[in-house]
Amino acid sequence: MFRTTLKSINSHKRRLFGTCTAVVLGIAFLAGTLVLGDTLRSGFSNLFTEANAGTDALVRNETEIGVDDFAQRGVLDAALVEEIRAVDGVAAAEPQIEVSGQIVGADGDPLGGNGPPTLAGNWIENPELNPYDLAEGRAPEGPGEVVIDRRSAEDGDLHVGDTTTVRVPEPLDVTIVGIATFGSADSAGPMTWAAFETGYAQEALMAQPGTVTSVVVAAEDGVSQEELVRRIAGVLPDGTEALTGAELTAEQEEQIESDFLGFMEQFLLVFAGVALLVATFSIYNTFSILVAQRTRESALLRALGASRRQVLTSTVAEAALVGLVASAIGIGAGLGVASGLLGLFDAMGFDMPTDGLRIDGGTIVASLVVGLVVTLLASLAPAVKASRVAPLAALRDVAVDRSGASLARGIAGVLLTGVGAVMTVGGTAGDGSMQLTGLGALLTVIGVVLLGPVVARPAASVLGRLLTVRRSMSGVLARRNAMRNPRRTAGTASALMVGVAVVTLFTVVAASIKASIDDVVSEQFAGDLVIESDNWSGAGLDPRLAGEVGELPEIDQATGFGIVPITVDGDDSFADAVEPATLDAMLDLDVSEGSLAEMTDRQVAVSAEFAEDRGLVVGDPVTVAYADGASEELTVGAVFDRDELMDEVLIPKEAWAPHATGGRVGDMVVLMTVADGVSLDEAQRAVQPVADRLGAPEVQDREEYVDAVAGEVDQMLTVVYALLIMAIVIAVMGIANTLSLSVHERTRELGLLRAVGQTRRQLRKMVRGESVVVALFGAAGGLALGSFLGWALFRAISASEGLGTFTVPTGQLAVVLVLGGLVGVIAAVRPARRAARLDVLQAIAAD
């Protein structure tokens, strides 16, 4: 039986090629994602190890508050450096300053950002404790002198002796006196770095004079890191902690895993899963047709004495061998995928720290196991069917599989679809439940796939009428071919349906988010102009900007606000630091209790949901704590219902400012209203010079602001579409493979058609028509399923995020449907050509 299996694979190698390719592509995406994760983890680990190579201990403030990217740590008194230097066993101790700061290139555009940090700080004189090495020029010695990393210098076309600007967020006019490398690399991964002389850095970068963010310490020979930390701890004041260099490295690795690597890998694995799911349909179809074509072969084996178990084992072994070979090739292709993703990161300006691709044993094992399991699961049902062939079937012509949908399958499909739909809709109620919606969506997809053969015949009949409008016999035959085997039609279309459904889901959600943004801004923003911090880096806008533009005669009012970390009654949170009175005139937050305009600097405003969760009403006290270790009791001055544009807590700038630590705090947005009698163009022309002088981006009107925010959604959608291309390619290959096998299966039928007068052109048209019907069936089903799931996902999101405008982008979805039909035409090119080249006499004689 083993030799028989090998001969079977050899005799059907062309037909199995499409199946192998589907598995290869799916595993390539999976393996590429895992290899990328392994590579970046290794790269960042080496980066942090190199950065901390000379650091045996780090001293810092132990107070850290806030959430995620808006967390902030307290600072240290610079005088602590001398006390640490005096500790027995300390070879060197240097102050370290590290805050947000963005370098401006020679063309005036800021460098970096959009995720990776842009940092500014001090140049550490001790080379053992400084991870940067001077490659050109010298170290900074006075005010306004700066050393930048070499990658920033190259990207910004900056050189030693050039003058430029560093935004911190105030624009600092600086002269570049040196260019540094991070060890052997041009920079510390995707980060940018600007280093000043320590005294000037304390004055220009720190919110509180005489402070530093941390102290780096080197040990004398013979003193371990643990012993050094123990000795240093004796001189540290309360609220200060010391970490070993090893602990610091481990903490940084854990942070990059939770903040970036883990999310990126999970995001890519979702699309790898979609690709593998689509590949599963292709594998199932291929083996179903092969089993149907080999019915007589299986019957002959049974007649010669082979048991059902041997026939089953033979088919499963064939699938296993295909799965293993395809998975192995997929792992090799995955290296190319990982390399391509790294190149994409580099093109987007995210130069990741890597020392070449790294592939771990776990990645190889996981890819092989997934590929094997997917192939075996997809081939199991056809294998069981092959084992049930009766020996007498060898005497009959039973090669063509005309199976339809069983009653049990139909009932199961209806039940699963119904239960899934109910759960999906249930997840949109109340505060929303993404978990319930997700589980319901999964059950709905499974139910729809099961129902495919039930609706395939009537759907193919309706869609096929498009081919019979001109009473073309080729169109009539194409329609009937699509109708006569509903299970095969549904199975072939299901691969495309899943891909189109995912594309539709993201398209609908993105369109709804953009419509919600437009509605929210229209309903709540009473202003006319906006300046928003672009190229997200954390530096923000110069806090002087709102005040200076507000003094222009063309501007009636201006207000700025930024995001700041706090704790409220012991819970980490982040708030918007605002000027309540001017904000109230600019935004309609639907204040239900109290008044924003009458708030004092001893009060906060909270959202209705925040107040309800904590049982707060106007006048209630709340304890607010800051990163500098201070805490104070403020009262609730207002409760607002609309929090789409603002965070759940608003705190007056006057209350926050005395407690700012680390770098200077800038605004993220400045809102303006135009004075009476002044046009928007006049106001923009008046504001732009002030914005340019203070390092701010272009001034936008309401429509431009909405378009800019919506543009970020479009960018994300472009990435999603690019990742889904592989799933669509696999679906196209699945249709092409099924058609090729079907052409082989219907060799005698096609020969008879040619014998009775059908031309090659008509035959090609018939095969293309059948493919188009199948593709349109899959695309239409995907549009319907994706629109429903997109609605549910958006409602679940809006229940928690406050978005409320659902929209169906009919134009974009119409394009998706047309592309679905085009997929059918493309997939049919090779099968149609092959069918037209059949020799008539050989085809008639084929058995």
Side-chain angles (χ1 to χ4, degrees), residues 99-102 165-172 204-205 533 538-544 663-667 694-696:
V99 300
S100 294
Q102 196 162 30
T165 300
V166 177
R167 301 176 181 173
V168 293
E170 298 94 335
L172 301 179
L205 305 183
S533 178
L541 302 172
D542 192 322
R544 296 173 296 176
R664 300 177 185 272
V665 180
D667 290 327
L694 296 179

CSV table of all heavy atoms in Angstrom, one decimal, residues 99-102 165-172 204-205 533 538-544 663-667 694-696:
chain,number,residue,atom,x,y,z
A,99,VAL,N,14.3,62.4,27.7
A,99,VAL,CA,13.0,62.9,27.5
A,99,VAL,C,12.6,62.9,26.0
A,99,VAL,O,13.4,62.5,25.2
A,99,VAL,CB,12.8,64.3,28.1
A,99,VAL,CG1,13.2,64.4,29.5
A,99,VAL,CG2,13.7,65.3,27.3
A,100,SER,N,11.4,63.3,25.7
A,100,SER,CA,11.0,63.3,24.3
A,100,SER,C,11.5,64.6,23.7
A,100,SER,O,11.5,65.7,24.2
A,100,SER,CB,9.4,63.4,24.2
A,100,SER,OG,8.9,62.1,24.7
A,101,GLY,N,12.1,64.4,22.5
A,101,GLY,CA,12.6,65.5,21.7
A,101,GLY,C,12.7,65.0,20.2
A,101,GLY,O,13.2,63.9,20.0
A,102,GLN,N,12.4,65.9,19.3
A,102,GLN,CA,12.4,65.5,17.9
A,102,GLN,C,13.3,66.4,17.1
A,102,GLN,O,13.2,67.6,17.1
A,102,GLN,CB,10.9,65.5,17.4
A,102,GLN,CG,10.8,64.8,16.1
A,102,GLN,CD,9.3,64.5,15.8
A,102,GLN,OE1,8.4,65.2,16.2
A,102,GLN,NE2,9.0,63.4,15.1
A,165,THR,N,16.9,72.3,14.3
A,165,THR,CA,16.0,72.5,15.4
A,165,THR,C,15.7,71.2,16.1
A,165,THR,O,15.6,70.2,15.4
A,165,THR,CB,14.7,73.2,15.0
A,165,THR,OG1,15.0,74.5,14.4
A,165,THR,CG2,13.7,73.4,16.2
A,166,VAL,N,15.6,71.2,17.4
A,166,VAL,CA,15.2,70.1,18.2
A,166,VAL,C,14.0,70.5,19.0
A,166,VAL,O,14.0,71.5,19.7
A,166,VAL,CB,16.3,69.5,19.1
A,166,VAL,CG1,15.7,68.3,19.9
A,166,VAL,CG2,17.5,69.0,18.3
A,167,ARG,N,12.8,69.9,18.8
A,167,ARG,CA,11.6,70.2,19.4
A,167,ARG,C,11.5,69.4,20.7
A,167,ARG,O,11.5,68.2,20.7
A,167,ARG,CB,10.4,69.9,18.6
A,167,ARG,CG,10.4,70.6,17.2
A,167,ARG,CD,9.2,70.2,16.4
A,167,ARG,NE,9.2,70.8,15.1
A,167,ARG,CZ,8.4,70.5,14.1
A,167,ARG,NH1,7.5,69.6,14.3
A,167,ARG,NH2,8.4,71.1,12.9
A,168,VAL,N,11.3,70.2,21.9
A,168,VAL,CA,11.3,69.5,23.2
A,168,VAL,C,10.2,69.8,24.2
A,168,VAL,O,10.4,69.5,25.4
A,168,VAL,CB,12.6,69.7,23.9
A,168,VAL,CG1,13.8,69.1,23.1
A,168,VAL,CG2,12.9,71.2,24.1
A,169,PRO,N,9.0,70.3,23.9
A,169,PRO,CA,8.4,70.6,22.6
A,169,PRO,C,8.8,72.0,22.1
A,169,PRO,O,8.6,72.3,20.9
A,169,PRO,CB,6.9,70.5,22.8
A,169,PRO,CG,6.8,70.9,24.2
A,169,PRO,CD,8.0,70.4,25.0
A,170,GLU,N,9.3,72.9,22.9
A,170,GLU,CA,9.7,74.2,22.4
A,170,GLU,C,10.9,74.0,21.4
A,170,GLU,O,11.7,73.1,21.6
A,170,GLU,CB,10.3,75.1,23.6
A,170,GLU,CG,9.2,75.4,24.6
A,170,GLU,CD,9.2,74.5,25.8
A,170,GLU,OE1,9.7,73.3,25.6
A,170,GLU,OE2,8.8,74.9,26.9
A,171,PRO,N,10.9,74.7,20.3
A,171,PRO,CA,11.9,74.5,19.3
A,171,PRO,C,13.3,75.1,19.8
A,171,PRO,O,13.3,76.3,20.2
A,171,PRO,CB,11.4,75.2,18.1
A,171,PRO,CG,10.5,76.3,18.6
A,171,PRO,CD,9.9,75.7,19.9
A,172,LEU,N,14.3,74.3,19.9
A,172,LEU,CA,15.6,74.7,20.3
A,172,LEU,C,16.5,74.8,19.1
A,172,LEU,O,16.6,73.8,18.3
A,172,LEU,CB,16.3,73.7,21.3
A,172,LEU,CG,15.5,73.4,22.6
A,172,LEU,CD1,16.3,72.4,23.4
A,172,LEU,CD2,15.3,74.7,23.4
A,204,ALA,N,17.3,73.1,29.7
A,204,ALA,CA,16.4,73.2,28.5
A,204,ALA,C,15.4,72.1,28.4
A,204,ALA,O,14.4,72.3,27.8
A,204,ALA,CB,17.3,73.2,27.2
A,205,LEU,N,15.7,70.9,29.0
A,205,LEU,CA,14.9,69.8,28.7
A,205,LEU,C,14.0,69.4,29.9
A,205,LEU,O,12.9,68.9,29.7
A,205,LEU,CB,15.7,68.5,28.4
A,205,LEU,CG,16.7,68.6,27.2
A,205,LEU,CD1,17.4,67.3,27.0
A,205,LEU,CD2,16.0,69.1,25.9
A,533,SER,N,-0.6,67.9,16.6
A,533,SER,CA,0.8,67.4,16.6
A,533,SER,C,0.8,66.2,15.7
A,533,SER,O,0.1,65.2,15.8
A,533,SER,CB,1.2,66.9,18.0
A,533,SER,OG,2.5,66.3,18.0
A,538,GLY,N,5.6,62.2,20.9
A,538,GLY,CA,5.5,62.5,22.4
A,538,GLY,C,6.0,63.9,22.7
A,538,GLY,O,5.8,64.4,23.8
A,539,ALA,N,6.7,64.5,21.7
A,539,ALA,CA,7.2,65.9,22.0
A,539,ALA,C,6.1,66.9,22.1
A,539,ALA,O,6.1,67.8,22.9
A,539,ALA,CB,8.2,66.3,20.9
A,540,GLY,N,5.1,66.7,21.2
A,540,GLY,CA,3.9,67.6,21.3
A,540,GLY,C,4.2,69.0,20.7
A,540,GLY,O,5.2,69.2,20.0
A,541,LEU,N,3.3,69.9,21.0
A,541,LEU,CA,3.3,71.3,20.5
A,541,LEU,C,3.8,72.2,21.6
A,541,LEU,O,3.6,72.0,22.7
A,541,LEU,CB,1.9,71.7,20.0
A,541,LEU,CG,1.2,70.9,18.9
A,541,LEU,CD1,-0.2,71.4,18.8
A,541,LEU,CD2,2.0,71.0,17.6
A,542,ASP,N,4.5,73.2,21.1
A,542,ASP,CA,5.0,74.2,22.1
A,542,ASP,C,3.9,74.8,22.9
A,542,ASP,O,2.9,75.3,22.3
A,542,ASP,CB,5.7,75.4,21.3
A,542,ASP,CG,6.5,76.3,22.2
A,542,ASP,OD1,6.0,76.6,23.3
A,542,ASP,OD2,7.6,76.7,21.7
A,543,PRO,N,3.9,74.7,24.2
A,543,PRO,CA,2.8,75.2,25.0
A,543,PRO,C,2.5,76.7,24.9
A,543,PRO,O,1.5,77.2,25.3
A,543,PRO,CB,3.3,74.9,26.5
A,543,PRO,CG,4.7,74.7,26.4
A,543,PRO,CD,5.0,74.2,25.0
A,544,ARG,N,3.5,77.4,24.3
A,544,ARG,CA,3.2,78.9,24.1
A,544,ARG,C,2.3,79.1,22.9
A,544,ARG,O,1.9,80.2,22.7
A,544,ARG,CB,4.6,79.6,23.8
A,544,ARG,CG,5.5,79.5,25.0
A,544,ARG,CD,6.9,80.1,24.7
A,544,ARG,NE,7.5,79.3,23.6
A,544,ARG,CZ,8.7,79.6,23.1
A,544,ARG,NH1,9.4,80.7,23.4
A,544,ARG,NH2,9.2,78.8,22.2
A,663,GLY,N,10.6,65.6,31.0
A,663,GLY,CA,10.6,66.6,30.0
A,663,GLY,C,9.4,67.6,30.1
A,663,GLY,O,8.5,67.4,30.9
A,664,ARG,N,9.6,68.7,29.4
A,664,ARG,CA,8.5,69.7,29.4
A,664,ARG,C,7.3,69.1,28.7
A,664,ARG,O,7.4,68.4,27.7
A,664,ARG,CB,9.0,70.9,28.7
A,664,ARG,CG,10.2,71.5,29.4
A,664,ARG,CD,10.7,72.7,28.6
A,664,ARG,NE,12.0,73.2,29.2
A,664,ARG,CZ,12.0,74.1,30.2
A,664,ARG,NH1,10.9,74.6,30.7
A,664,ARG,NH2,13.2,74.5,30.7
A,665,VAL,N,6.1,69.5,29.1
A,665,VAL,CA,4.8,69.0,28.6
A,665,VAL,C,4.3,69.9,27.6
A,665,VAL,O,4.1,71.1,27.8
A,665,VAL,CB,3.8,68.7,29.7
A,665,VAL,CG1,2.5,68.2,29.2
A,665,VAL,CG2,4.4,67.8,30.8
A,666,GLY,N,4.0,69.4,26.4
A,666,GLY,CA,3.4,70.2,25.3
A,666,GLY,C,2.0,69.8,25.1
A,666,GLY,O,1.5,68.8,25.6
A,667,ASP,N,1.3,70.6,24.3
A,667,ASP,CA,-0.1,70.3,23.9
A,667,ASP,C,0.0,69.3,22.7
A,667,ASP,O,0.9,69.3,21.9
A,667,ASP,CB,-0.8,71.6,23.5
A,667,ASP,CG,-1.1,72.6,24.6
A,667,ASP,OD1,-1.3,72.0,25.7
A,667,ASP,OD2,-1.0,73.8,24.4
A,694,LEU,N,7.2,78.4,16.0
A,694,LEU,CA,7.2,77.6,17.2
A,694,LEU,C,7.2,76.1,16.8
A,694,LEU,O,6.9,75.2,17.7
A,694,LEU,CB,5.9,77.9,18.0
A,694,LEU,CG,5.9,79.3,18.6
A,694,LEU,CD1,4.6,79.5,19.4
A,694,LEU,CD2,7.1,79.6,19.4
A,695,GLY,N,7.6,75.8,15.6
A,695,GLY,CA,7.8,74.4,15.2
A,695,GLY,C,6.5,73.6,15.1
A,695,GLY,O,6.6,72.3,15.2
A,696,ALA,N,5.4,74.2,14.8
A,696,ALA,CA,4.2,73.4,14.7
A,696,ALA,C,3.9,73.1,13.2
A,696,ALA,O,4.4,73.7,12.3
A,696,ALA,CB,3.0,74.2,15.3
